[in-house]
Amino acid sequence: MGEGATDVGSASRAIFDAACAVIPGGVNSATRAVGAPWAFTRAEGARMWDADGREYLDYHAAFGAILLGHCDPRVDEPVRETIGRIDLTGYGVTELEVEYGRLVCESIASVDTSLATNTGTEATLQAVRLARAITGRRYVVKFQGNFHGWHDAVARNVISPPERAYKLDPLSAGILPDAFAATLIAEYNDVGSVQALFDEYPEQIAAVIFEAIPHNVGALLPTREFSDGLRELTRREGALLICDEVITGFRHGLGGYQAVLELEPDLTTFGKGIANGYPVAGIGGRRELMERFSSAGGDVVVAGTFNGHAVGMAAAVATMTHLRDHGDDFYPRVHALGARMREGLQRIADELGIAATAAGFGSVFCLYFMDGPIRGYRDLMRNDDAAYVAFHRRMTERGILMLPLSLKRNHVSDAHTEEDVDRTLEVAEEVLRELA
Ligand code: PLP
């Protein structure tokens, strides 16, 4: 079922070619060029338009950062109002930052204080560094298949091919082997694999970092046994538990997925959906841990010219306020749309006799090309990646935009409607019938 890249129109192609002359590979983030050399010129609500005027129903949602919809006036108007008044002060604090901090602390039960960053990568970097400073220990445990950004401590073992899974699988060249050696790899949904690392490295593990739901490989839902087990184990072993909610935070509930799990991690990282597409992320946790940051007189450096920029803060305040005030409508609505999509995809695959599993939670859905049950990364190695690539290509050609990478997830936003989902399912049926 191997297929090449999606055809794009001549206007997209011309912009992309111009980009290649001044940007390495034509894009500012590598996975943006997977599948097709696109150029987009407009985004609104649940839709985007490419330079050739082709319309797409968007479930990529900028890797999940778009939560309410593209260019949503509920966020963009407060941003415009803010720009006319203040930008970046570089000194002291603004009332917007206070409001942002208050909303984060009110939203996430385990967070007493929080710091704003611009990206999720900065947030998880801060979390790992803080954990090492607090515990005085060297090692960090991450899970095969989890992604926490691209800094040295975590840039390994995400979507690894079978021969490199659980072994050293760097995301990047140029990282010192020592950095990789200080990060240990465990199996998601298997507390025993984490216990084995604590046994092998007694009193040397600073933190366990995990995705609340590993959406970077679709949707491996954590069992309660796993999340409770991680909490108990890290507490007993004197390590910190870092819950990475960069995708799940605010998307799956105001309190994040940790609220669903009734979990109290030591530190939480969040980003993406918090500001509906504006560059804001953050780290939060218990007050006494966060006091180790240099902003509070501690010894773990906090710096960043753009941290707390008024534009991002205004967007985050508007998004969180909307979710707080209208969450009783918003969450059930997008969760129902997500469920409609997952149930529809599964029904179609079953009727056509295709070995596929629709998975996800809330507004997130993905289609694995394999039978269930799917609990851990080992199960994912049975996925038919070529089938996904073919599915993706044919969906995009028909105007349905999804993440081009096999195993990744897709997102419904507040701007999607039942009609959008039903239209998507009609197209999916057509495509899957062709592929059956
Ligand atoms: N953590 C998770 C779970 C992510 O999915 C990502 C990005 O996709 C990051 C951290 C890094 O965030 P950013 O891309 O904003 O640096």
Side-chain angles (χ1 to χ4, degrees), residues 17-242:
D17 287 349
C20 288
V22 289
I23 303 169
V27 281
N28 280 305
S29 182
T31 47
R32 288 183 198 171
V34 174
W38 260 309
F40 288 95
T41 48
R42 199 177 137 219
E44 190 186 328
R47 288 173 169 70
M48 302 209 298
W49 289 264
D50 71 13
D52 295 276
R54 295 181 192 164
E55 181 179 306
Y56 299 87
L57 187 51
D58 180 27
Y59 295 103
H60 187 301
F63 289 98
I66 303 297
L67 186 53
L68 300 182
H70 287 284
C71 295
D72 192 290
R74 294 168 292 190
V75 177
D76 288 5
E77 270 161 28
V79 166
R80 273 189 211 105
E81 186 276 321
T82 301
I83 294 170
R85 189 163 52 81
I86 192 167
D87 50 7
L88 185 63
T89 58
Y91 200 83
V93 70
T94 61
E95 284 183 322
L96 270 171
E97 288 170 270
V98 180
E99 190 52 20
Y100 165 87
R102 195 178 285 138
L103 284 161
V104 169
C105 297
E106 280 171 12
S107 302
I108 310 173
S110 64
V111 170
D112 296 332
T113 62
S114 82
L115 279 170
T117 62
N118 301 287
T119 66
T121 298
E122 294 165 79
T124 61
L125 184 156
Q126 292 280 32
V128 167
R129 189 179 279 169
L130 181 64
R132 285 191 169 130
I134 286 170
T135 60
R137 297 177 179 180
R138 168 180 164 79
Y139 292 101
V140 168
V141 174
K142 84 173 270 293
F143 294 91
Q144 175 67 54
N146 285 202
F147 178 65
H148 306 290
W150 42 273
H151 60 87
D152 291 7
V154 294
R156 59 174 292 189
N157 294 78
V158 185
I159 300 184
S160 303
E163 67 280 10
R164 291 208 298 274
Y166 309 96
K167 302 187 184 120
L168 178 57
D169 183 28
L171 281 188
S172 174
I175 298 177
L176 294 175
D178 274 2
F180 288 134
T183 302
L184 309 169
I185 305 299
E187 171 77 350
Y188 203 83
N189 266 339
D190 180 357
V191 185
S193 72
V194 187
Q195 177 69 65
L197 292 172
F198 276 106
D199 292 344
E200 197 178 342
Y201 299 91
E203 294 180 24
Q204 295 167 69
I205 295 176
V208 175
I209 183 167
F210 74 111
E211 275 190 71
I213 299 176
H215 283 314
N216 282 289
V217 286
L220 292 179
L221 296 185
T223 62
R224 276 298 289 265
E225 185 195 354
F226 177 64
S227 58
D228 291 350
L230 283 186
R231 182 58 287 183
E232 199 191 307
L233 180 58
T234 45
R235 223 170 240 153
R236 192 170 65 232
E237 299 283 351
L240 297 191
L241 185 60
I242 305 170

Side-chain angles (χ1 to χ4, degrees), residues 47 55-57 59 337 340-341 345 347-348 394-400 402 416-431:
R47 288 173 169 70
E55 181 179 306
Y56 299 87
L57 187 51
Y59 295 103
L337 290 175
R340 191 180 183 93
M341 185 74 89
L345 288 171
R347 179 186 40 77
I348 295 164
R394 288 165 192 238
M395 291 297 284
T396 357
E397 280 169 357
R398 290 165 171 84
I400 310 286
M402 296 181 171
H416 288 91
T417 61
E418 277 189 3
E419 293 69 40
D420 289 335
V421 172
D422 292 347
R423 166 83 193 121
T424 306
L425 291 172
E426 273 170 33
V427 175
E429 181 159 7
E430 218 176 276
V431 166

